[in-house]
Amino acid sequence: SQQGEEDPQALSIQEGENATMNCSYKTSINNLQWYRQNSGRGLVHLILIRSNEREKHSGRLRVTLDTSKKSSSLLITASRAADTASYFCATDPANQGGKLIFGQGTELSVKP
Amino acid sequence: GAVVSQHPSRVICKSGTSVKIECRSLDFQATTMFWYRQFPKQSLMLMATSNEGSKATYEQGVEKDKFLINHASLTLSTLTVTSAHPEDSSFYICSASWGRDEQYFGPGTRLTVT
């Protein structure tokens, strides 16, 4: 069963702008991960943030995690047309053997 | 990073036939493999968790007799869709892990049942 809710469902921005996607979940987690998927393709792992971490950076990506609110955000700075894709958060629920529960995804379109 | 392959990448089959999809971890031993299904414009739904040498654990609502999973070795898991119907048409994605936080995803298999 899915436990992640993401918003917005779709986001359209101009190249150079920042994109922010939000994810909320329901249960205790070991970690939360963000993935990217180009249309009809496999998943690309972007970043993992553990439950005891609050913020993490990787290149143009910044992820925050608020376990008290059970929410996370993914910020992509200085977006590029090549960032156009679907972005999913996935939670690793505590005591669930490592399985991932995916959010509904945000479809990002970056216009050149 | 770790590499996971899937075969075939695309398959078209007739209704009522069975289809086998392979998931291989190419450069590591996967103690656990996961199978997901993704319908168009939707998210990934976990179907089952497969541990090497033991029976798969299926998520609620997933028919274990229809989606047969075998994890016979530390590098190979197979998903067989038995008696496929058009509503089984989907994108099937596997992932593999060896007990750490990350799962490594295969490129997916697009199944079309006619």
Side-chain angles (χ1 to χ4, degrees):
Chain A
S1 59
Q2 288 190 354
Q3 72 158 350
E5 301 287 332
E6 288 186 60
D7 76 271
Q9 290 188 351
L11 180 60
S12 182
I13 59 175
Q14 293 294 131
E15 223 172 12
E17 294 179 339
N18 296 341
T20 300
M21 290 160 262
N22 302 296
C23 170
S24 62
Y25 57 94
K26 297 176 184 174
T27 64
S28 296
I29 60 172
N30 294 319
N31 62 71
L32 185 145
Q33 304 176 35
W34 285 90
Y35 290 85
R36 166 198 167 119
Q37 184 181 38
N38 288 77
S39 181
R41 308 288 291 275
L43 293 177
V44 175
H45 182 265
L46 296 176
I47 199 163
L48 180 153
I49 186 165
R50 293 190 169 80
S51 60
N52 60 353
E53 296 176 310
R54 292 296 166 259
E55 189 171 310
K56 209 162 182 179
H57 295 82
S58 176
R60 292 183 296 114
L61 305 180
R62 173 178 167 250
V63 167
T64 63
L65 178 65
D66 187 335
T67 53
S68 67
K69 295 181 179 177
K70 291 188 169 59
S71 68
S72 174
S73 68
L74 170 67
L75 168 67
I76 303 175
T77 60
S79 64
R80 305 166 182 167
D83 294 329
T84 295
S86 292
Y87 292 82
F88 295 94
C89 68
T91 53
D92 175 359
N95 304 315
Q96 292 288 314
K99 67 182 182 184
L100 292 179
I101 306 299
F102 281 80
Q104 296 164 338
T106 295
E107 200 169 321
L108 174 65
S109 174
V110 182
K111 296 184 178 1
Chain B
V3 179
V4 175
S5 70
Q6 277 184 246
H7 178 80
S9 57
R10 288 177 179 270
V11 58
I12 301 172
C13 72
K14 290 185 190 271
S15 190
T17 62
S18 294
V19 174
K20 181 185 283 189
I21 302 170
E22 292 185 349
C23 177
R24 292 182 185 273
S25 56
L26 299 184
D27 51 3
F28 66 98
Q29 293 187 322
T31 52
T32 306
M33 287 186 170
F34 303 87
W35 287 95
Y36 298 84
R37 179 167 56 182
Q38 184 180 33
F39 292 108
K41 300 290 186 183
Q42 294 188 27
S43 186
L44 281 74
M45 294 290 291
L46 178 66
M47 298 175 69
T49 302
S50 165
N51 291 298
E52 187 264 339
S54 61
K55 289 185 180 179
T57 302
Y58 290 81
E59 293 298 302
Q60 196 170 14
V62 178
E63 299 175 59
K64 62 181 181 181
D65 294 331
K66 181 169 182 61
F67 298 99
L68 301 178
I69 291 172
N70 184 285
H71 190 166
S73 78
L74 285 171
T75 59
L76 173 65
S77 177
T78 60
L79 167 67
T80 302
V81 183
T82 63
S83 187
H85 289 112
E87 56 265 32
D88 298 323
S89 298
S90 188
F91 194 50
Y92 291 86
I93 305 174
C94 73
S95 69
S97 73
W98 69 90
R100 297 178 62 181
D101 294 329
E102 287 190 39
Q103 293 182 23
Y104 297 92
F105 283 81
T109 296
R110 186 160 302 284
L111 170 64
T112 303
V113 184
T114 61

